[in-house]
Amino acid sequence: MYYLVGTGSNKRDIVFLLDGSDDSRNGLPAIREFIRRMVEELDIGEDKVRVAVIQYSNDTTVYFNLKTHRLKKAIIYAVRSLRHKGGRTRNTGAALQFVRDHIFTASSGSRHLEGVPQILLLLTGGKSNDDVSGAALDIKQNGVLSFAIGMKNTKQDEFSYSVLVELESPQRDVVFLLDGSDDTQSGFPAMKSFVQRVVETLSVGENKDRVSVVQYSRDPQTHFSLNTYKEKQNVLAAVQQLNHKGGKPLNTGAALDYVRKNAFTDSSGSRHQDGVPQILILLNGGRSQDDVASAAAALKQDKVVPFCVGTRNADILELQMIAYNPSYAFSVLRFDDMGSIHQQLVSFVKRVPRQQPRLKSHNVLGKNIYLS
């Protein structure tokens, strides 16, 4: 757990958001002990680590904010005194929005304007009764690194914790697969422009979003891999320099198989083993001359999430077969019209959740913590 919150003298603002609904009542003693032991390891201080504790159910209650306690012993005493809130409804989305609007603020002791890392640890016992996605996106856009920690009720006085997913992944591996056949030559500048527009919305970096571009016709060609560029401006410049490949026939099935075996691999920079979302964006202008079904199924089996954008000359049923689900297949009249679906595509891409990486059991501070 400590790789999330750190130890030592680094400055951090850490907010614990606790599920106080009726379902979590039995786990409160374990929750208190979990937080207490974690705080024991932190370098608490006004100019060091600050901690807040918030509890929610149908509504949200501030137990103490980031500026309430400056001493470790005061925080530990307050945590030991924590009482269960209660409430039948678990409104996690509203609670996330509350901490964004009222806790990660200067008036509540947040130092986000000074560049101090803002960390949210959500301990929740079940599915939310309201929508979480919009609030999670707002939290991320506010610069907060957020993690959800699921609580599995095992005994009256014991909870088992496992780090599930970041509320919205700050890391993605995105591979663009471009139709470079003879039929798309006139539309290739629009394809490049679309790729650049999508990349502009990403946070490109070695430990953030990674981007690769592959072009294909009869056979595929990698222009750059996921581990080639670490800066957004370098990705954008490389896309601008792309030349149309040309060639016939259009073998989309072979291209899908190629990216699965070559682009989404450790050696090419893929972080699939870490649970980072693996995203394929196919821009296509015609029907494939080979079979796509088996290659598409293999991609999904490997937990790759394909999105497809096709022109009027593409086979929409074929694209729906390739896409992760039919709503991830978009149809436009021509490549120049892709701007009309840009916002929706980006929205879908950013909602792709982290995969659960293979978990290893660790005994951390006397609790069962499962970390990848």
Side-chain angles (χ1 to χ4, degrees):
M1 177 61 70
Y2 293 109
Y3 77 93
L4 300 183
V5 299
T7 56
S9 61
N10 289 335
K11 295 181 180 181
R12 288 170 177 79
D13 294 337
I14 302 172
V15 176
F16 292 92
L17 179 59
L18 313 180
D19 178 353
S21 64
D22 291 345
D23 292 342
S24 66
R25 182 180 301 275
N26 290 343
L28 184 63
I31 292 174
R32 285 196 300 246
E33 183 65 6
F34 178 82
I35 298 173
R36 185 194 68 79
R37 292 190 178 213
M38 185 172 290
V39 170
E40 287 278 14
E41 299 296 322
L42 297 172
D43 194 6
I44 302 294
E46 183 174 1
D47 295 321
K48 297 176 182 178
V49 178
R50 298 182 183 180
V51 172
V53 172
I54 316 298
Q55 197 176 171
Y56 78 99
S57 53
N58 57 305
D59 57 7
T60 308
T61 301
V62 179
Y63 194 63
F64 58 87
N65 65 29
L66 292 165
K67 68 178 184 181
T68 304
H69 300 300
R70 294 289 189 256
L71 299 178
K72 181 180 294 188
K73 62 182 180 181
I75 293 175
I76 291 173
Y77 180 82
V79 169
R80 283 175 171 166
S81 303
L82 180 66
R83 296 292 179 262
H84 187 259
K85 174 176 170 52
R88 298 181 63 182
T89 306
R90 181 186 292 111
N91 291 328
T92 308
L96 292 172
Q97 197 65 46
F98 180 92
V99 296
R100 176 195 180 278
D101 294 340
H102 300 284
I103 304 303
F104 288 111
T105 61
S107 61
S108 290
S110 168
R111 295 165 290 176
H112 67 101
L113 296 176
E114 303 170 31
V116 174
Q118 307 289 287
I119 298 169
L120 173 67
L121 294 177
L122 166 65
L123 281 73
T124 183
K127 186 176 180 180
S128 177
N129 294 105
D130 63 353
D131 177 64
V132 174
S133 59
L137 179 58
D138 286 345
I139 283 274
K140 179 189 175 185
Q141 290 177 339
N142 211 40
V144 178
L145 184 59
S146 304
F147 295 87
I149 302 175
M151 305 184 298
K152 180 181 179 182
N153 198 352
T154 56
K155 295 180 181 178
Q156 179 79 5
D157 59 350
E158 180 182 356
F159 266 59
S160 175
Y161 299 88
S162 61
V163 176
L164 300 177
V165 293
E166 292 170 57
L167 292 177
E168 180 171 316
S169 178
Q171 298 175 317
R172 301 170 193 85
D173 293 337
V174 181
V175 176
F176 291 91
L177 181 58
L178 311 182
D179 177 351
S181 64
D182 290 345
D183 292 338
T184 64
Q185 185 167 4
S186 62
F188 197 67
M191 273 198 226
K192 294 200 300 183
S193 177
F194 183 80
V195 172
Q196 289 176 313
R197 286 189 64 188
V198 175
V199 171
E200 285 282 10
T201 69
L202 302 176
S203 299
V204 176
E206 183 174 7
N207 296 315
K208 298 179 182 178
D209 296 326
R210 298 182 182 180
V211 177
S212 171
V213 172
V214 178
Q215 191 180 171
Y216 78 102
S217 53
R218 183 181 63 84
D219 51 12
Q221 170 190 355
T222 299
H223 288 292
F224 55 88
S225 301
L226 291 166
N227 55 7
T228 302
Y229 299 116
K230 299 177 182 178
E231 302 290 338
K232 182 183 292 188
Q233 61 264 30
N234 294 332
V235 173
L236 295 173
V239 172
Q240 185 60 39
Q241 296 300 315
L242 292 179
N243 293 315
H244 187 253
K245 183 181 184 324
K248 286 186 177 182
L250 182 67
N251 292 325
T252 305
L256 295 174
D257 195 51
Y258 176 88
V259 295
R260 181 176 68 86
K261 294 178 179 177
N262 295 275
F264 292 108
T265 60
D266 296 346
S267 59
S268 293
S270 168
R271 295 162 291 177
H272 61 101
Q273 292 189 359
D274 298 326
V276 174
Q278 306 292 286
I279 296 167
L280 176 67
I281 300 177
L282 169 65
L283 305 184
N284 177 269
R287 178 178 297 178
S288 179
Q289 297 303 303
D290 65 353
D291 176 64
V292 302
S294 59
L299 274 173
K300 296 168 193 173
Q301 183 68 29
D302 283 359
K303 301 189 186 305
V304 176
V305 178
F307 294 83
C308 301
V309 182
T311 65
R312 63 181 175 183
N313 294 324
D315 185 338
I316 186 60
L317 294 179
E318 182 177 89
L319 297 183
Q320 288 177 343
M321 179 190 301
I322 296 169
Y324 186 73
N325 63 56
S327 66
Y328 286 4
F330 301 87
S331 181
V332 295
L333 189 63
R334 56 190 182 192
F335 289 117
D336 287 337
D337 299 324
M338 287 191 294
S340 64
I341 56 94
H342 169 264
Q343 186 173 357
Q344 187 177 9
L345 174 67
V346 168
S347 176
F348 283 166
V349 165
K350 291 193 172 184
R351 291 179 187 174
V352 176
R354 287 181 67 90
Q355 297 292 335
Q356 179 74 12
R358 185 171 296 173
L359 299 178
K360 299 177 183 178
S361 177
H362 297 264
N363 191 312
V364 179
L365 303 182
K367 304 307 298 179
N368 295 324
I369 308 295
Y370 295 85
L371 302 178
S372 58

